Amino acid sequence: MEQNVLKTKRRLRRKRGIRKRIFGTAERPRLTVFRSNQHVYAQIINDIEGKTLASMSSQALEKGSTVDAAVQVGKQLADKAREAGVETLAFDRNGFRYHGRVKALADAMREAGLKF
């Protein structure tokens, strides 16, 4: 099996295990992070109603370092979350390691005042 296909299958298997435990509610919505090779995407989701409360991606930002883009996404998403009345979150790393862009985004959101 090709290496990229194998890596994706492993990540999806880890994702299933994470999603068994993490569920977004109205009081504590789920923050999910997806990273591609070039961009990072994040959404705040209420799983009970099936609604996305806020979302942000690095596609709208200026070119630069991918980690810097993740920090900017985290700060801007934290502002949107506070406007939506969200204070605490359940963090869904989506099968990705808590490292690099995923960690930078999470740290930026914590610095902006959100708890998870």
Side-chain angles (χ1 to χ4, degrees):
M1 194 175 287
E2 190 178 333
Q3 186 67 24
N4 289 338
V5 173
L6 187 61
K7 283 175 72 172
T8 303
K9 283 190 173 194
R10 286 181 187 151
R11 185 186 71 82
L12 292 176
R13 193 171 117 222
R14 283 190 305 270
K15 177 182 177 173
R16 280 195 309 268
I18 291 167
R19 285 289 287 129
K20 283 181 188 176
R21 293 170 296 200
I22 295 176
F23 192 78
T25 63
E27 300 82 34
R28 190 169 186 236
R30 175 172 57 102
L31 166 66
T32 184
V33 178
F34 177 78
R35 65 173 181 80
S36 66
N37 286 338
Q38 295 179 354
H39 298 289
V40 63
Y41 307 85
Q43 293 179 319
I44 298 175
I45 302 167
N46 178 351
D47 288 318
I48 292 174
E49 296 178 11
K51 289 189 177 181
T52 300
L53 305 175
S55 65
M56 185 68 200
S57 76
S58 62
Q59 285 183 323
L61 303 175
E62 296 176 12
K63 300 253 183 210
S65 164
T66 55
V67 175
D68 292 338
V71 170
Q72 288 180 355
V73 167
K75 289 178 182 178
Q76 291 181 13
L77 186 60
D79 293 339
K80 286 183 177 184
R82 271 192 255 105
E83 288 175 10
V86 175
E87 293 295 323
T88 59
L89 298 167
F91 187 64
D92 177 9
R93 58 188 174 90
N94 224 349
F96 296 106
R97 286 176 39 188
Y98 186 75
H99 158 84
R101 289 183 277 168
V102 176
K103 184 178 188 292
L105 187 139
D107 290 343
M109 292 194 75
R110 284 190 183 108
E111 287 177 15
L114 295 178
K115 296 177 186 173
F116 52 92

